[in-house]
Amino acid sequence: MEIYVDDFATAYAAFNNLKNFLVKSLKIDRSFVRDLANAPIARRIAQPRVVIPHGLNVRTIAEGIETPAQLQ
């Protein structure tokens, strides 16, 4: 069985699920993406939500990427 996590890092879709379940893929909520291009603090908050899953070989998708700056 494969588990996919939606709205990662919000409410019940937390980092704890990465150790409790065999998560195949997760989607980061758009609330972490919205201000990436304009707010340095937003980048510091969003970064672990990408780096940690990648380190665990979990496919990561960010919801709401609309600009090259957000993608970067």
Side-chain angles (χ1 to χ4, degrees):
M1 176 172 66
E2 295 178 348
I3 297 174
Y4 296 81
V5 178
D6 191 17
D7 296 335
F8 179 65
T10 62
Y12 293 104
F15 280 107
N16 196 43
N17 290 331
L18 295 179
K19 71 175 180 142
N20 292 332
F21 303 104
L22 183 58
V23 175
K24 178 78 172 177
S25 180
L26 58 86
K27 183 173 66 170
I28 298 172
D29 186 70
R30 75 175 54 246
S31 63
F32 295 107
V33 173
R34 187 175 304 124
D35 297 322
L36 285 178
N38 302 320
I41 187 113
R43 289 190 293 276
R44 291 193 299 269
I45 292 169
Q47 184 178 17
R49 282 144 183 86
V50 175
V51 173
I52 291 172
H54 278 185
L56 298 171
N57 295 317
V58 174
R59 182 173 173 234
T60 307
I61 301 164
E63 179 181 42
I65 298 289
E66 297 175 349
T67 68
Q70 289 173 326
L71 179 60
Q72 181 63 27

